[in-house]
Amino acid sequence: DTEVTQTPKHLVMGMTNKKSLKCEQHMGHRAMYWYKQKAKKPPELMFVYSYEKLSINESVPSRFSPECPNSSLLNLHLHALQPEDSALYLCASSQGASEYGSYEQYFGPGTRLTVT
Amino acid sequence: DQQVKQNSPSLSVQEGRISILNCDYTNSMFDYFLWYKKYPAEGPTFLISISSIKDKNEDGRFTVFLNKSAKHLSLHIVPSQPGDSAVYFCAASAVDYGGSQGNLIFGKGTKLSVKP
C-alpha cells in the first residue's frame, strides 16, 4: 500500500476564513511533507516533518501553520490567506533517507485550494 | 538558480516509439534522482529512481540513465503508449546525514504527448 490520502479534494475559502487541510499515510513513513504547486510549475516544498518534528520551514508565511499530531497524520492550518495562495497543495511521505540516498516520496492527490 | 533543469517543456512521440526525457542538474552533491509522472489535478506518481552509484536502472518499459560526469539523466519509455501522456518531473536529492527527510528538488517538468 503506497497510498497517501488528502482531504478535502477541493476547498474554496474567503480571505477571513480559517480552514485545515488533512493528510494521512499508513506506510510507517517517518517523514512527511507539504508542497504547493501552481499551474505549469513544479511542486515547491513548504514544510518537512521528520519523526513528527518540524525540520524544515521554507520561509512560508505564518498564515500557513503545519501540525503533525502523530506519525500518520499531517495537517496544514490556513488563516487569512490571499488570492495568490490559490494552488494545488500536495502532501507526501517517505521513509526519509539512508546512506544510499533518499527514499522516494509518495504523493497524495492534493487539495485544490481557491481563495476568494 | 535552478538546480534541476528540464529544458524541453514538451515532447510529442508516436505510439510504439521511444520517448526520451532529459534532465540536467548543477549540484554535484545530488546523489539520488527520481522521475515522477503527473496527470492534471492529481499528485505526482513515483515512476523510477536511480542512485548515483549506478548508471542505469530499469523497470519494465521505463529505464533511467545517469551520466554523473555530465550531470545528466534521462528517462526512456519504450514502447510509448497513449496512457503515458502526462507531465514528467525529474527530481534530485542530496542525502542529509544530519537529518532523515531526503528533500527533493524538482525540475519544471516536460509534457509528453503520445499520439496513437
Side-chain angles (χ1 to χ4, degrees):
Chain A
D1 180 13
T2 58
E3 189 178 25
V4 176
T5 59
Q6 287 187 247
T7 55
K9 196 172 175 65
H10 300 276
L11 178 62
V12 179
M13 61 186 289
M15 289 190 282
T16 57
N17 290 159
K18 283 186 182 180
K19 297 284 184 184
S20 297
L21 309 184
K22 297 186 184 300
C23 174
E24 190 167 2
Q25 57 88 13
H26 294 287
M27 296 177 275
H29 289 171
R30 308 311 300 193
M32 295 186 76
Y33 312 75
W34 280 115
Y35 288 85
K36 173 182 177 179
Q37 185 173 23
K38 302 279 263 185
K40 300 189 191 304
K41 299 279 189 182
E44 293 179 9
L45 184 66
M46 299 174 72
F47 301 104
V48 181
Y49 272 83
S50 180
Y51 290 90
E52 300 165 48
K53 292 193 185 326
L54 183 65
S55 61
I56 290 183
N57 175 342
E58 291 286 354
S59 303
V60 180
S62 59
R63 57 186 184 268
F64 295 92
S65 174
E67 178 197 17
C68 189
N70 61 55
S71 59
S72 300
L73 294 174
L74 186 66
N75 298 323
L76 185 63
H77 302 298
L78 315 172
H79 174 54
L81 295 193
Q82 304 296 312
E84 59 264 30
D85 295 321
S86 299
L88 181 68
Y89 287 84
L90 294 162
C91 173
S93 71
S94 79
Q95 295 181 49
S98 75
E99 60 192 278
Y100 302 112
S102 303
Y103 291 105
E104 53 271 18
Q105 292 181 18
Y106 292 91
F107 284 81
T111 294
R112 173 67 61 188
L113 174 66
T114 303
V115 181
T116 61
Chain B
D1 179 34
Q2 242 189 304
Q3 298 186 69
V4 178
K5 300 176 186 178
Q6 293 177 258
N7 292 320
S8 298
S10 63
L11 174 68
S12 185
V13 171
Q14 205 66 30
E15 181 179 6
R17 308 295 286 268
I18 185 170
S19 296
I20 300 177
L21 298 111
N22 293 304
C23 178
D24 298 291
Y25 62 96
T26 57
N27 189 339
S28 57
M29 297 299 291
F30 288 146
D31 54 11
Y32 193 69
F33 304 90
L34 307 91
W35 284 95
Y36 284 85
K37 173 181 178 180
K38 188 177 185 302
Y39 295 113
E42 291 186 12
T45 302
F46 169 72
L47 269 180
I48 191 168
S49 62
I50 188 166
S51 165
S52 59
I53 61 174
K54 294 185 174 182
D55 55 18
K56 178 183 174 181
N57 190 25
E58 198 170 349
D59 184 1
R61 296 186 297 116
F62 302 92
T63 304
V64 56
F65 295 91
L66 175 62
N67 182 334
K68 278 188 70 177
S69 60
K71 294 193 178 68
H72 176 83
L73 64 154
S74 60
L75 174 68
H76 293 211
I77 307 173
V78 57
S80 301
Q81 299 172 354
D84 296 329
S85 298
V87 177
Y88 288 77
F89 288 100
C90 169
S93 176
V95 174
D96 174 10
Y97 291 102
S100 60
Q101 59 268 14
N103 303 329
L104 297 181
I105 308 296
F106 284 87
K108 289 190 173 182
T110 296
K111 184 175 182 180
L112 174 66
S113 300
V114 180
K115 312 282 186 195

